[in-house]
Amino acid sequence: MKVAVFGSSGFVGKNLIQALQLETEVQEVSLRNASWKEAIDRETDVMINLVGKAHDHKGTATEKEYYFANVELTKEVVETFKKSNADLLIHVSSIAALEEFGSDKPLEELDNCHPVSLYGKTKREAEEWILAQDLSDQKKIIVVRPPMIHGPGDKGNLGLLYKMISRGVPYPLASFENNRSFLSIDNFCYFLLEIIKKQSKVSSGIYHICDDEPVATKKIIEIIKEVTNKRTINLPIPQIVIQKIAKIGDFIPFPLNTKRLQKMTSNLLVSNEKIKKALSIEHLPVSAEEGLIKTIKSFQLK
């Protein structure tokens, strides 16, 4: 089995390559190489597209940059797949193409999409274009929508929480109650390997991939305290005060802004039942808590 991976230089790509190499022959394809299309092995069986531009917390990325990375490059990868000998393309989208800032019920694949950011909107536009493609009977495109993926090398919000708690800074968001779905990098790699192995059972279309259990932010804080052996206190500062403080971060460099606050304190639940049913998966190999512990322990090694 030969697998070509596009966009493998990031945290997700590096971990995925390691997992794939245990069971497949892997070719890393960089779209920065002008002749990348010609470089793809003609005997490639599966293509995985990780190319894209994620959230821009600094607010410097332009709409043109998002469109190019998340739509135009995706179109090039798909067109290359259609002309290749490969029979499966796995395109990694994002749950942000469906919903970004809150859902009290588990999100399912047929729910109406409400992307808000340039990231979410361009990810959804790429999905719509993919779904409109006319494929031969021998080819499939599986679009997977993960929520936040975390693991060793992660530089997202978990790292921000870790730095704060490990330095003894009191946790200021204790007045918020929320649960969110995450995806450990181990379960992400497991899902993709299972799709490759059992591709005959999976039809073209969109599938949500996430850990089996959602996790409350307060639980993540407790895990960080246990891992770091810190007795940092929780501060139940009134929500209205926190919201006003977050607005400051919308205008000046500050660890907290309104978007980050929403992601850290709102519910965002995702259902993975469709993909688990298709692949006959009862339980994922890593629980949500086990994955978080592994990620947080990796921060200690930096």
Side-chain angles (χ1 to χ4, degrees), residues 5 41 70 90 93 107 120 131 134 146 155 162 169 202 223 236 269:
V5 181
D41 193 319
N70 293 340
I90 303 175
S93 183
L107 294 167
L131 295 175
D134 185 20
K155 297 179 181 180
Y162 172 82
V169 178
V202 189
I223 292 173
L269 307 178

Side-chain angles (χ1 to χ4, degrees), residues 243-254 256-258:
Q243 290 162 354
K244 288 182 178 180
I245 293 173
K247 288 181 179 179
I248 298 174
D250 294 340
F251 300 99
I252 64 173
F254 194 67
L256 195 65
N257 56 39
T258 53

Side-chain angles (χ1 to χ4, degrees), residues 156-165 255-256 260 264 299:
N157 288 335
L158 284 179
L160 175 65
L161 283 175
Y162 172 82
K163 288 180 181 178
M164 183 171 64
I165 302 303
L256 195 65
R260 179 163 277 172
M264 294 173 69
F299 294 150

Side-chain angles (χ1 to χ4, degrees), residues 156-174 217 220-221 224-225 228 230-235 237 242 254-256 260-261 264 299:
N157 288 335
L158 284 179
L160 175 65
L161 283 175
Y162 172 82
K163 288 180 181 178
M164 183 171 64
I165 302 303
S166 64
R167 292 172 181 171
V169 178
Y171 176 60
L173 308 180
T217 302
I220 298 174
I221 299 301
I224 295 174
K225 289 180 182 180
T228 60
K230 293 284 184 178
R231 295 183 179 180
T232 308
I233 64 172
N234 291 341
L235 290 179
I237 299 173
I242 294 294
F254 194 67
L256 195 65
R260 179 163 277 172
L261 177 64
M264 294 173 69
F299 294 150

Side-chain angles (χ1 to χ4, degrees), residues 30-201:
S30 173
L31 272 61
R32 294 186 178 90
N33 182 347
S35 58
W36 65 268
K37 296 178 183 179
E38 292 74 24
I40 298 172
D41 193 319
R42 293 185 178 182
E43 296 181 5
T44 294
D45 303 293
V46 177
M47 295 182 177
I48 299 175
N49 182 33
L50 299 174
V51 175
K53 183 170 184 59
H55 290 288
D56 173 37
H57 295 298
K58 295 182 180 180
T60 58
T62 65
E63 182 176 358
K64 183 177 180 181
E65 289 173 328
Y66 272 108
Y67 188 83
F68 175 73
N70 293 340
V71 181
E72 291 298 331
L73 291 182
T74 293
K75 289 182 178 181
E76 288 194 44
V77 171
V78 173
E79 291 295 349
T80 301
F81 165 71
K82 289 166 69 174
K83 296 174 184 177
S84 73
N85 294 324
D87 51 17
L88 173 63
L89 169 64
I90 303 175
H91 171 71
V92 180
S93 183
S94 169
I95 202 66
L98 173 61
E99 192 67 65
E100 297 186 65
F101 295 120
S103 172
D104 294 330
K105 79 169 191 67
L107 294 167
E108 298 180 352
E109 289 79 358
L110 294 178
D111 289 339
N112 292 328
C113 295
H114 303 105
V116 176
S117 65
L118 289 174
Y119 171 65
K121 289 178 179 178
T122 50
K123 281 292 188 180
R124 178 55 184 163
E125 184 170 343
E127 289 182 357
E128 291 176 319
W129 185 85
I130 289 172
L131 295 175
Q133 297 308 295
D134 185 20
L135 302 175
S136 68
D137 293 338
Q138 290 74 37
K139 290 182 178 287
K140 291 181 182 179
I141 300 182
I142 307 299
V143 177
V144 293
R145 285 179 179 160
M148 190 187 86
I149 304 172
H150 63 86
D154 175 30
K155 297 179 181 180
N157 288 335
L158 284 179
L160 175 65
L161 283 175
Y162 172 82
K163 288 180 181 178
M164 183 171 64
I165 302 303
S166 64
R167 292 172 181 171
V169 178
Y171 176 60
L173 308 180
S175 61
F176 293 87
E177 298 285 347
N178 74 315
N179 283 281
R180 296 183 69 86
S181 293
F182 295 92
L183 180 60
S184 72
I185 191 64
D186 290 335
N187 284 338
F188 173 83
C189 295
Y190 174 78
F191 270 126
L192 266 61
L193 277 165
E194 287 296 292
I195 291 171
I196 292 171
K197 294 174 186 176
K198 304 175 182 177
Q199 56 185 282
S200 63
K201 296 183 177 182

Side-chain angles (χ1 to χ4, degrees), residues 109 142 144 191 195 202 207-210 272-281:
E109 289 79 358
I142 307 299
V144 293
F191 270 126
I195 291 171
V202 189
Y207 297 84
H208 292 172
I209 56 174
C210 63
N272 62 10
E273 288 304 311
K274 180 182 177 183
I275 189 66
K276 287 174 65 178
K277 183 177 180 180
L279 297 173
S280 300
I281 297 172

